[in-house]
Amino acid sequence: MALRILMTLLPRPTLLRCRRRLYTSRAARETPQLENIGLIRAYGRPVATIFLWSALTYTSLQAMWSKLHFDEVRLETEAKIDSLNAELSRLEPQPVDQTKPERRRDFAERLKSGPGFGEFIAGMKEPLTPEQAMQQAEAVQSKIPGNSRLPRWLKTDIPTGGNVTNIRKTLRELKLHTVCEEARCPNMSECWGGGKHGTATATIMIMGDTCTRGCRFCSVKTSKAPAALDAAEPENVATALAAWGLDYVVLTSVDRDDLPDFGSAHFARTVRNIRERAPQMMIECLTPDFLGRPELIEPVALSGLDVYAHNIETVEALQRSVRDHRANYKQSMFVLAHVKKTKPTLLTKSSIMLGVGETDEEVLQTMKDLRAVGVDIVTLGQYMRPTKRHMKVHEYVTPERFKHWEQVGNDLGFLYTASGPLVRSSYKAGEFFISEILRKRSAVAAANALAAESGRDTSENNNLRDIAASIATEEGRKATAAAAAAASLESASL
């Protein structure tokens, strides 16, 4: 009877646990210790009674302990709440926050009663003119790394004009490419249209429009396996250039590391075809490094060109972060030195980008190294980020700084130094100067030939220096005359 009362009082989960413990499992019954089933039946009920009483006692004690613990926690919580309420009652009542319209009215009133614009500029001796304000803004802007806004001196006109349209039409018809378009050059209008000197130029990119290298500053397409060379390209290039009537042409190319000779023979054949079709045209070749292999550099140097150009691009410390890993500083210097060794009378040229993180000491050392290997012409220009996928601009170098590097180049003994924000390796103004050097050198060569017949001693290198000095003097005289004419027109209008 007592067992039944206990069973009614206990919850069902407890009863189930008791049943599992009272009746052994099949595996337990098979053990030798519990073979006597009658023993379990004889002593099962007393054992169950004892177990149930123990379980009831344990459950009751656990419930009592939980209730005591809960009461203790409840008392502590109530004490904390009472102390917080006492502290809150001692605080001063805060004013009710204003609504949004009221806050706006208060802010407007404060603005009306605040200082005016005159008080902001009262500390200055005199207000800035608009031009001075723009200069200060541009000076601050040029120091911001990665700034997408271009300074005033880097903005150019959209290329238009009859000659530009004519050149573009011919390029599409003959399926030719120009680095002017591929590299998004800012001087396209000036070069293709003739500019202030009337010397129309173009830079043709041969061997396709896809490069096997991936320099971080260049916007030309890249691929490990570009299309095969066009066998008719040398003839097409010569035909187009003869039809355009250009004075000066720059031939450049993508890197073709996939070819056995890296495109050297194709380059040389193009130069020979142009020379046959347009013998009066000045030809400059801006070549790859051909991995520094002399047997590939020499065919281009001896193909009949007038200027051999190869760009060093940046200072030695930044080569790895700017150029492709297959190009390097010493390799490019070797190319320029070997060209001079192969043909000493050939003009050599190189270019340096500024604004990629170089220091003045590094730029100066690079110019000295170029001069040491016999480079005659150097150009320095501002790096401009083609797209957001390319490396960022570190600094926008000011025109005054470029003027400084031009003077440094002249002091180091370069025949010509083209330095400016928009100057590129095939910059049109530099090409005009080079064409004048070449024309006058031809005249000097003829004069030297006559002098040699009469037995007089001549020196071509000194003649080149004299030619460069005379051209610089002539350009300065023209600039002074133009400025004087402009000033007289302005005074007459007043």
Side-chain angles (χ1 to χ4, degrees), residues 436-451 463 467:
E436 288 299 310
I437 288 177
L438 293 172
R439 287 191 185 99
K440 292 191 176 183
R441 187 169 70 171
S442 299
V444 170
N448 287 341
L450 293 174
N463 286 330
I467 291 169

Side-chain angles (χ1 to χ4, degrees), residues 292-347:
R293 292 170 56 179
E295 69 274 13
L296 302 180
I297 300 169
E298 292 167 6
V300 181
L302 300 174
S303 61
L305 71 165
D306 298 296
V307 180
Y308 193 109
H310 176 68
N311 290 342
I312 197 69
E313 304 297 1
T314 187
V315 299
E316 187 172 10
L318 298 178
Q319 292 280 321
R320 188 64 184 86
S321 61
V322 173
R323 304 175 74 187
D324 186 89
H325 65 92
R326 285 162 285 191
N328 62 73
Y329 190 82
K330 293 182 179 178
Q331 187 168 275
S332 294
M333 288 293 179
F334 173 79
V335 171
L336 294 165
H338 190 71
V339 169
K340 272 293 183 185
K341 181 181 177 182
T342 304
K343 190 175 180 181
T345 58
L346 191 63
L347 288 177

Side-chain angles (χ1 to χ4, degrees), residues 83-223:
S83 64
L84 288 174
N85 288 333
E87 294 219 357
L88 287 173
S89 63
R90 287 196 297 270
L91 295 176
E92 296 181 1
Q94 298 293 328
V96 181
D97 192 12
Q98 294 175 315
T99 60
K100 223 177 243 189
E102 291 175 349
R103 289 200 300 271
R104 287 177 181 171
R105 281 197 296 270
D106 291 345
F107 181 70
E109 291 296 331
R110 287 199 299 271
L111 281 180
K112 289 178 183 178
S113 60
F117 179 72
E119 295 179 27
F120 282 106
I121 62 174
M124 302 174 59
K125 294 181 179 178
E126 56 182 21
L128 293 174
T129 63
E131 292 78 11
Q132 291 173 334
M134 285 296 295
Q135 288 176 2
Q136 289 190 8
E138 288 168 355
V140 173
Q141 186 180 10
S142 65
K143 298 178 182 178
I144 302 175
N147 197 343
S148 60
R149 285 181 170 272
L150 294 178
R152 172 179 45 82
W153 58 81
L154 289 175
K155 296 179 181 179
T156 58
D157 298 328
I158 297 174
T160 56
N163 205 33
V164 172
T165 306
N166 181 35
I167 291 176
R168 274 184 174 154
K169 182 180 178 182
T170 310
L171 288 171
R172 302 299 173 263
E173 289 174 352
L174 297 176
K175 298 180 180 180
L176 300 177
H177 307 281
T178 65
V179 76
C180 313
E181 293 179 301
E182 296 292 336
R184 306 180 185 185
C185 181
N187 303 312
M188 194 188 307
S189 180
E190 182 184 359
C191 291
W192 289 10
K196 62 180 180 179
H197 297 298
T199 307
T201 63
T203 302
I204 303 296
M205 189 167 68
I206 61 175
M207 296 196 286
D209 62 347
T210 306
C211 187
T212 55
R213 298 187 183 181
C215 298
R216 294 186 62 205
F217 63 89
C218 184
S219 63
V220 177
K221 293 184 293 185
T222 61
S223 173

Side-chain angles (χ1 to χ4, degrees), residues 402-419:
F402 277 108
K403 196 69 177 175
H404 162 75
W405 290 121
E406 180 180 356
Q407 184 59 46
V408 171
N410 294 334
D411 294 340
L412 288 175
F414 289 99
L415 278 179
Y416 179 61
T417 304
S419 180

